[in-house]
Amino acid sequence: MKLKNFIKQKYIHLTLAILALMNIVPLVDNALPWQLGVSAIFFMVVLLAVRTLILRRSLYFIVAGIALIAFLCDVAGILIKESPHYLKIMNLIGAFAYLFFICLAIIVIIKDVVRIRKITLDEVSGAIAGYLLLALFWAIVYSILCFFKTDAFVGTEMPLRLIDFFYFSVITLTTLGYGDIVPHCQIAKMLTSQEAISGIMYMAILLGSIVGQYVSQAIMGEGKKTKDEGCKT
């Protein structure tokens, strides 16, 4: 793949950024530089998710600006050890903003993959990115729930961080469930049930579309090959 074409691939970049976030976060400690670095990677993931949206240039900068404000609120919460109440509220608003952008990106990815006419590496990456964004979406939902109800989830290691919720979200989407983190209230139980259902539906819709398109391409390719051989004879 040429560098110019690679730069144009929006879903490959998003998938790589999410995978980087997944693999870097567990390796770092709670030192301030590492926390800021993780927050920056998370902001990059959100920006790449925003990039998947088809927006006018002016609207794109407005949306990216809102994401930047959410990022700055997150950074402020990291830098100020004893966060005042109003700053925690700003962090909550930032989490809702991230949630909104990720939700829009998931919807756009599903529409793009369902409507594909030709399977490419970028489209397959889009399906993977959408699945990982779905896990991230629910992880943020769980962290927001714990803002209002601190005992909504119980884990072997407390308190639970966003990376813990992301881990729990992935094993819920895949219906694996190790049991080291469990929902502890009715709202949390209902949300995890909805996530499990959404994961199954996502796989059914996206895999069905990709496999169907692959079979269609294979049949058309065979038909064209047969026709060309017939013309030669």
Side-chain angles (χ1 to χ4, degrees), residues 142-194:
Y142 300 146
S143 65
I144 291 174
L145 175 61
C146 284
F147 179 86
F148 295 102
K149 190 172 178 60
T150 55
D151 62 343
F153 291 87
V154 176
T156 53
E157 295 183 7
M158 298 292 287
L160 297 174
R161 301 180 300 162
L162 181 60
I163 185 62
D164 298 311
F165 287 123
F166 184 74
Y167 156 78
F168 173 74
S169 182
V170 170
I171 63 175
T172 301
L173 274 181
T174 55
T175 63
L176 187 59
Y178 288 119
D180 50 345
I181 302 176
V182 294
H184 196 242
C185 70
Q186 295 300 323
I187 298 176
K189 290 176 181 178
M190 290 306 299
L191 287 174
T192 52
S193 299
Q194 292 173 33

Side-chain angles (χ1 to χ4, degrees), residues 88-104:
K88 292 181 179 179
I89 297 298
M90 290 298 293
N91 287 337
L92 183 63
I93 294 173
F96 275 112
Y98 282 153
L99 204 62
F100 176 72
F101 297 141
I102 291 173
C103 182
L104 287 181

Side-chain angles (χ1 to χ4, degrees), residues 1 43 81 111 164 172 187 198 224:
M1 182 184 294
F43 175 61
K81 297 288 186 181
K111 289 177 65 176
D164 298 311
T172 301
I187 298 176
S198 67
K224 185 177 180 180

